[in-house]
Amino acid sequence: MYRLGVLISGRGSNFHSILENIKKGFVQNARIVVVLSNKEDAGGLKIAKDNDIDAFFIDPKGLKRDEYDKLLIDKLKEYEVDFVILAGFMRILSTGFIETFKNRILNIHPALLPSFKGLHAQRQALEAGVKFAGASVHFVTDELDSGPIIVQSVVPVLSDDTEDSLSERILKTEHKIYPLAVKLLTEDKIKIKNNRIVIKADEIDDNFYIINPVCDKKE
Amino acid sequence: MYRLGVLISGRGSNFHSILENIKKGFVQNARIVVVLSNKEDAGGLKIAKDNDIDAFFIDPKGLKRDEYDKLLIDKLKEYEVDFVILAGFMRILSTGFIETFKNRILNIHPALLPSFKGLHAQRQALEAGVKFAGASVHFVTDELDSGPIIVQSVVPVLSDDTEDSLSERILKTEHKIYPLAVKLLTEDKIKIKNNRIVIKADEIDDNFYIINPVCDKKE
């Protein structure tokens, strides 16, 4: 049983989705042992408490990045965390943090990486006029939004989309692929090879094609 | 009835697909009036001749880019071409050529632009470890593979894919979306607005969701 630490800054909807998928048995080999937030009013803190998961607001006020990240590391180590799950955590992590949990930090980004790294990915997609957007779960490395990609989802971009409508469509798929990535990871189905992710093909066949709203739309 | 000039360098499979879609009436408002190749042995030249379309090998030997492009422009103007369709034409076009046919040149690129511009897009995708790849039909501007996107397709990347197998999967969708883009263009359904393409929503609903092999795989 792997121990997950989740970092949030807001409502924590991806955290919630992973939690629900653990509860219902889709993710069987992991449990969330601690939730940390850099925002005191993050909605995800309440979700954690409602589910008897230890949750802490770690105040960044007046701290340098390394000092703050040291607090995070200490807390995650205290809880003997195997994997760190970034779920809307709106801070750049220090190299020290990333090295401490090398190849054990996951993030989700609302774009078909390597397109549209950084902030406001959905807006970037709309401005680029792409016809498909999506989300990517990836390992975190020192380079922003550039680590090995584990799972991706695809959604259509419609001609009348706003940043909100596109974000919502993408978010629905985030709630499916992030638990899927955690499941694959904690069932030891993922290998990193030449900086790429290798997943057993049967896993992909079983899971990949159910998470594409382009298909759902068709039905 | 719009007049198309097609530029090729090789087998011309996308040219062939557009031609077939004109023949069977999917594309009703266009006909291909001339095919030009910078390679004497391009298979597409034979396809053109077999279909009674005028086709020419324009020899680039010893010519500067502007001089060569002037020959292309002259021939395309002689045939009173409305739109220029790049179908595997393996030369960079000069600014002069692009200005001459401003907003009237289409290209297809085997990637989900803006990812993986330039050569060997499929190999780039494999090396990046993305889970979805695709193709993009776009207007040609001075910046390589960066003009407004008209239609895109999506295909899964499988864990045992080679450059060949992925390229073949993408190519099958190219043969669907390039005729679709030509159809939309020649039915005046496409507008360029803020450097983005606007297509009437009903067109998208009718066409977009049929060209996604991720869905086909599921059925």
Side-chain angles (χ1 to χ4, degrees):
Chain A
M1 184 70 77
Y2 287 110
R3 300 169 64 85
L4 310 181
V6 179
L7 272 52
I8 62 170
S9 297
R11 58 186 165 171
S13 78
N14 273 308
F15 151 54
H16 198 190
S17 172
I18 293 167
L19 179 62
E20 291 300 314
N21 276 283
I22 290 173
K23 282 190 190 176
K24 73 181 184 194
F26 178 70
V27 178
Q28 297 196 336
N29 235 12
R31 63 188 182 99
I32 297 168
V33 294
V34 67
V35 174
L36 307 180
S37 171
N38 66 324
K39 298 281 184 186
E40 190 161 19
D41 59 353
L45 289 174
K46 185 175 179 328
I47 296 173
K49 282 165 187 165
D50 288 347
N51 285 276
D52 294 321
I53 297 169
D54 288 356
F56 303 93
F57 160 55
I58 312 272
D59 192 349
K61 204 173 165 182
L63 298 179
K64 291 179 185 161
R65 188 179 307 283
D66 281 343
E67 294 168 346
Y68 183 74
D69 283 7
K70 180 72 168 57
L71 295 182
L72 296 178
I73 292 169
D74 287 349
K75 191 58 93 176
L76 292 166
K77 286 195 166 172
E78 179 189 331
Y79 278 84
E80 299 179 338
V81 157
D82 297 300
F83 296 108
V84 179
I85 308 295
L86 306 184
F89 185 64
M90 298 303 283
R91 284 176 62 94
I92 302 284
L93 291 164
S94 61
T95 303
F97 186 100
I98 292 167
E99 282 302 311
T100 302
F101 296 99
K102 191 174 163 65
N103 290 340
R104 295 192 290 141
I105 311 169
L106 296 196
N107 184 39
I108 191 159
H109 183 74
L112 282 172
L113 291 173
S115 288
F116 313 128
K117 299 174 182 181
L119 289 174
H120 308 301
Q122 302 95 332
R123 192 189 306 169
Q124 290 182 56
L126 285 174
E127 285 171 358
V130 293
K131 307 307 175 189
F132 295 99
S136 307
V137 183
H138 63 94
F139 282 107
V140 172
T141 60
D142 247 352
E143 203 182 331
L144 182 69
D145 298 328
S146 296
I149 296 165
I150 302 171
V151 190
Q152 293 185 300
S153 60
V154 175
V155 303
V157 179
L158 304 181
S159 55
D160 57 354
D161 262 332
T162 61
E163 193 176 346
D164 280 349
S165 66
L166 178 59
S167 298
E168 191 186 330
R169 190 175 310 122
I170 294 172
L171 186 64
K172 280 184 189 163
T173 72
E174 293 178 35
H175 296 164
K176 294 182 182 179
I177 65 173
Y178 214 164
L180 173 58
V182 171
K183 173 187 172 72
L184 294 169
L185 180 71
T186 55
E187 291 178 1
D188 301 316
K189 296 268 169 62
I190 290 176
K191 287 195 171 60
I192 303 179
K193 199 174 160 181
N194 300 330
N195 208 35
R196 271 175 283 170
I197 299 296
V198 179
I199 304 175
K200 272 172 55 186
D202 58 329
E203 293 299 323
I204 295 176
D205 287 343
D206 287 341
N207 291 301
F208 255 35
Y209 306 114
I210 60 171
I211 56 175
N212 190 322
V214 178
C215 307
D216 295 345
K217 182 106 186 179
K218 192 182 170 189
E219 282 155 13
Chain B
M1 184 71 76
Y2 287 109
R3 300 168 65 85
L4 311 180
V6 180
L7 271 52
I8 62 170
S9 298
R11 57 185 165 171
S13 77
N14 273 309
F15 152 53
H16 198 190
S17 172
I18 293 167
L19 178 61
E20 290 301 313
N21 276 281
I22 289 173
K23 282 190 192 175
K24 73 182 184 194
F26 178 70
V27 177
Q28 298 197 335
N29 236 12
R31 64 189 181 99
I32 297 169
V33 293
V34 67
V35 174
L36 307 180
S37 171
N38 66 323
K39 300 281 185 187
E40 191 161 16
D41 60 353
L45 289 175
K46 185 175 179 325
I47 296 173
K49 283 164 188 164
D50 288 347
N51 285 277
D52 295 318
I53 296 170
D54 288 356
F56 303 92
F57 160 55
I58 312 272
D59 192 349
K61 203 171 166 185
L63 298 180
K64 291 180 183 160
R65 188 180 308 283
D66 281 343
E67 294 168 346
Y68 184 74
D69 284 6
K70 180 71 168 57
L71 295 182
L72 297 178
I73 291 169
D74 287 349
K75 192 58 95 176
L76 293 167
K77 286 195 166 173
E78 178 189 332
Y79 278 84
E80 299 179 337
V81 157
D82 297 300
F83 296 109
V84 178
I85 309 295
L86 306 183
F89 186 64
M90 298 303 283
R91 285 176 61 94
I92 303 282
L93 292 165
S94 60
T95 302
F97 187 100
I98 292 167
E99 281 301 311
T100 302
F101 296 99
K102 191 172 164 64
N103 290 339
R104 296 191 290 142
I105 311 169
L106 296 196
N107 184 38
I108 190 159
H109 184 75
L112 282 172
L113 292 174
S115 290
F116 313 130
K117 297 173 183 180
L119 289 174
H120 307 303
Q122 302 95 333
R123 192 189 305 167
Q124 291 183 54
L126 286 174
E127 284 171 359
V130 293
K131 307 308 176 189
F132 294 99
S136 308
V137 182
H138 63 95
F139 282 107
V140 172
T141 60
D142 247 351
E143 203 183 332
L144 183 68
D145 296 329
S146 297
I149 297 166
I150 302 172
V151 190
Q152 293 186 301
S153 61
V154 176
V155 303
V157 180
L158 304 180
S159 55
D160 57 355
D161 263 332
T162 61
E163 194 176 345
D164 279 348
S165 66
L166 179 59
S167 298
E168 191 186 329
R169 192 175 309 122
I170 293 171
L171 187 63
K172 279 183 191 164
T173 71
E174 293 177 36
H175 295 165
K176 294 182 182 179
I177 65 173
Y178 215 166
L180 173 58
V182 171
K183 175 187 170 72
L184 293 170
L185 181 70
T186 55
E187 290 178 359
D188 302 315
K189 295 271 171 60
I190 290 176
K191 288 196 171 58
I192 303 179
K193 198 174 160 182
N194 300 330
N195 209 35
R196 272 176 282 171
I197 299 296
V198 179
I199 304 175
K200 271 173 56 188
D202 59 329
E203 293 301 321
I204 296 176
D205 287 343
D206 286 341
N207 292 301
F208 256 32
Y209 305 114
I210 60 170
I211 54 174
N212 190 324
V214 178
C215 307
D216 296 344
K217 183 108 186 177
K218 194 182 170 190
E219 282 154 13

